[in-house]
Amino acid sequence: MANSPQSKKRARQNERRFEVNKARRSRIRTYLRKVEEAIASGDKDAAAAALKAAQPELMRGVTKGVYHKNTASRKMSRLAHRVKTLA
């Protein structure tokens, strides 16, 4: 348990950041899910549009420290490959 004023403040900040990051992660997952659903339906145009919308959101997550740069790049690469191979 936090005892010093500094550690109490740090605990409060951590709680707030956790909420913000949780919302940001959820938003990114929603964008990624839309791409997955478009791929599953087989609609290449919808999948490409969803991927284009998801990319800046995912990279914003990197900038804000929610995801590591390589993780986001890997996710984008895999999704782009799957969209590209749609008939």
Side-chain angles (χ1 to χ4, degrees):
M1 184 63 213
N3 289 319
S4 67
Q6 179 182 2
S7 60
K8 287 178 182 176
K9 179 178 179 180
R10 180 52 67 188
R12 289 194 307 270
Q13 288 174 332
N14 285 341
E15 286 175 21
R16 282 197 294 266
R17 293 314 310 165
F18 176 75
E19 290 301 320
V20 169
N21 289 337
K22 189 167 131 182
R24 196 168 274 129
R25 260 194 316 272
S26 174
R27 181 178 163 88
I28 292 169
R29 283 193 197 116
T30 301
Y31 275 89
L32 295 179
R33 191 178 68 248
K34 287 178 185 175
V35 178
E36 293 285 348
E37 289 170 355
I39 290 171
S41 70
D43 187 356
K44 188 169 187 170
D45 293 334
L51 182 67
K52 191 168 181 161
Q55 185 174 8
E57 202 61 41
L58 192 57
M59 290 306 161
R60 193 170 299 119
V62 171
T63 306
K64 301 297 183 180
V66 178
Y67 285 111
H68 191 274
K69 185 177 166 187
N70 290 355
T71 302
S73 294
R74 184 181 65 242
K75 286 178 182 291
M76 281 306 303
S77 178
R78 288 177 180 175
L79 284 173
H81 179 72
R82 287 174 61 201
V83 169
K84 186 177 176 183
T85 57
L86 280 176

